[in-house]
Amino acid sequence: MTKGSIPPYVVRLVLEAARAAGAAQEELDRLPGVGVLDQEGIRVPTRMLTRVWEVSADAFAQAGGAPRVAQLWTPGRFHVWDYVIKSAADLTEAFQLAAEHLPAITDPDSAFDVTRDAAGQLTVATRPVPSFGRVGALIAEFVLGLLLKQACTALGRPVSPVAVTVAGEPPRLQEHLIEAFGTRNIHFHAPVSSITFSATDATEPLPGSDPALAVIVNDHAAHSIRSARIIMGWLDKVHSEIGEELAGGAPSLDRVAHRLTMSPRTFQRRLHEEGTSWREEVEKVREAEATRLLRDTGLNIDTIAARVGFSDVRALRRAFHRWHGRGPADFRRQLSPR
């Protein structure tokens, strides 16, 4: 299971939605790697998905927001992951299993926290993914819309969530979100994006529940993650080399270019052709690695600053405020499972 990679299902869905929303076709045609998306049994760079969102963000906003993308989902589009949900005993078990097998449809850095409160209400919260960058909030809105549609399909009836929280900024007009989620109880500037279902919805038996099938599809979901063939892009090689550089301090453009067997000038030109820059890619790798270390290790902030190539902890704190509007200590607390 390779971090920084996803199966092609979601990319195909978002591309279809982007075309329907009126995103510039010439921009979509220029996206690297779209020619392999019809292959099965593969994983592609996560960056491919974020680039589609970046190119299409304005079109989605005008067409009714990211949750509208989820409306194109139909049962089976995400292959075995859909059947993991459908065959579970109830919605609580369905989303617990969906969280366990989440890498079957997205980046392994993605995660759900599935919890029940004292009243029995079920909340599914999405943890932030650094590699999603500035379109992370849009992707989170899409995921919440997808979870709601999955719930409606699994229960075989309309479902109205108790509440929705969104980690991003509130849009100027919110009616499209109210219509998409079926509730006015939507809150913004939240630590994580989440959707909450009633206790009744959480525990009602699913009409498609099948314990024997559930065992089969859960085994198949785990196998599909392990056996997928990775198709990585040039920028992913750049990220790998930058990651190697971080161990020795601040990354060097000249050294990375040399390891990629090209001159610094050619390397910079290639980055420009990809629509990015050396500085931007170093920032992405630093953010992703710093967040991984905050989430998955107990290293102190000073050590993490050194591990991601910052001169001191103050530089790391400034970077986190730039990236997320808060310091690394607060960010670590909010990444902790609730």
Side-chain angles (χ1 to χ4, degrees):
M1 179 171 59
T2 301
K3 291 187 177 184
S5 72
I6 57 174
Y9 321 136
V10 179
V11 186
R12 289 200 296 254
L13 180 74
V14 179
L15 265 176
E16 180 183 331
R19 294 187 180 103
Q25 187 62 47
E26 61 274 15
E27 293 283 348
L28 298 175
D29 290 342
R30 282 202 297 267
L31 293 173
V34 294
V36 305
L37 293 176
D38 60 346
Q39 298 183 38
E40 301 300 337
I42 67 169
R43 295 181 73 87
V44 298
T46 302
R47 180 173 174 80
M48 191 181 298
L49 177 63
T50 59
R51 289 286 292 274
V52 177
W53 279 102
E54 287 167 357
V55 167
S56 312
D58 290 342
F60 286 145
Q62 294 175 15
R68 295 295 189 190
V69 181
Q71 297 304 309
L72 292 178
W73 171 84
T74 53
R77 282 206 70 159
F78 292 168
H79 292 220
V80 67
W81 194 74
D82 290 340
Y83 296 100
V84 165
I85 294 173
K86 182 179 179 180
S87 61
D90 56 30
L91 211 56
T92 299
E93 182 183 85
F95 286 140
Q96 288 170 340
L97 291 171
E100 179 181 340
H101 297 297
L102 197 58
I105 64 160
T106 189
D107 190 300
D109 267 342
S110 300
F112 290 165
D113 290 321
V114 182
T115 58
R116 297 274 301 280
D117 63 16
Q121 294 181 339
L122 170 68
T123 295
V124 185
T126 67
R127 298 186 205 166
V129 181
S131 57
F132 288 167
R134 61 180 178 271
V135 294
L138 277 176
I139 295 175
E141 286 182 19
F142 157 69
V143 171
L144 298 184
L146 175 65
L147 291 173
L148 178 57
K149 192 164 186 190
Q150 287 273 13
C152 294
T153 300
L155 285 166
R157 59 173 174 78
V159 175
S160 295
V162 173
V164 172
T165 69
V166 180
E169 299 282 335
R172 186 172 58 85
L173 299 174
Q174 299 179 20
E175 288 304 315
H176 67 278
L177 290 178
I178 294 169
E179 181 182 351
F181 290 120
T183 180
R184 291 187 173 273
N185 193 14
I186 303 174
H187 304 279
F188 297 89
H189 299 297
V192 295
S193 295
S194 69
I195 186 166
T196 299
F197 300 94
S198 70
T200 299
D201 292 337
T203 56
E204 181 179 322
L206 302 185
S209 176
D210 186 330
L213 178 61
V215 172
I216 295 170
V217 297
N218 278 277
D219 285 347
H220 183 58
H223 174 74
S224 70
I225 297 167
R226 292 193 303 268
S227 62
R229 178 167 53 95
I230 308 298
I231 297 180
M232 302 301 280
W234 181 76
L235 278 174
D236 300 281
K237 297 176 184 177
V238 172
H239 289 175
S240 177
E241 296 296 346
I242 292 173
E244 292 292 325
E245 283 278 299
L246 288 178
S252 163
L253 183 151
D254 288 355
R255 287 196 298 268
V256 169
H258 177 73
R259 287 207 293 265
L260 293 170
T261 65
M262 58 180 63
S263 71
R265 180 174 294 182
T266 301
F267 178 48
Q268 288 180 301
R269 183 170 65 248
R270 178 69 186 273
L271 287 169
H272 180 72
E273 289 170 354
E274 294 280 347
T276 186
S277 67
W278 167 253
R279 189 173 186 176
E280 184 176 347
E281 297 311 308
V282 169
E283 280 275 290
K284 289 176 183 176
V285 176
R286 275 179 160 158
E287 182 184 359
E289 181 63 3
T291 302
R292 183 189 71 80
L293 294 171
L294 283 166
R295 184 188 62 218
D296 298 340
T297 77
L299 294 174
N300 62 41
I301 306 300
D302 294 75
T303 302
I304 291 173
R307 288 276 291 270
V308 297
F310 283 113
S311 57
D312 55 42
V313 72
R314 289 174 298 177
L316 176 64
R317 290 195 181 107
R318 286 195 298 269
F320 258 89
H321 278 283
R322 184 169 65 250
W323 296 331
H324 303 291
R326 54 189 181 272
D330 288 342
F331 196 76
R332 171 175 265 170
R333 283 192 290 271
Q334 291 174 340
L335 281 172
S336 300
R338 294 176 302 164

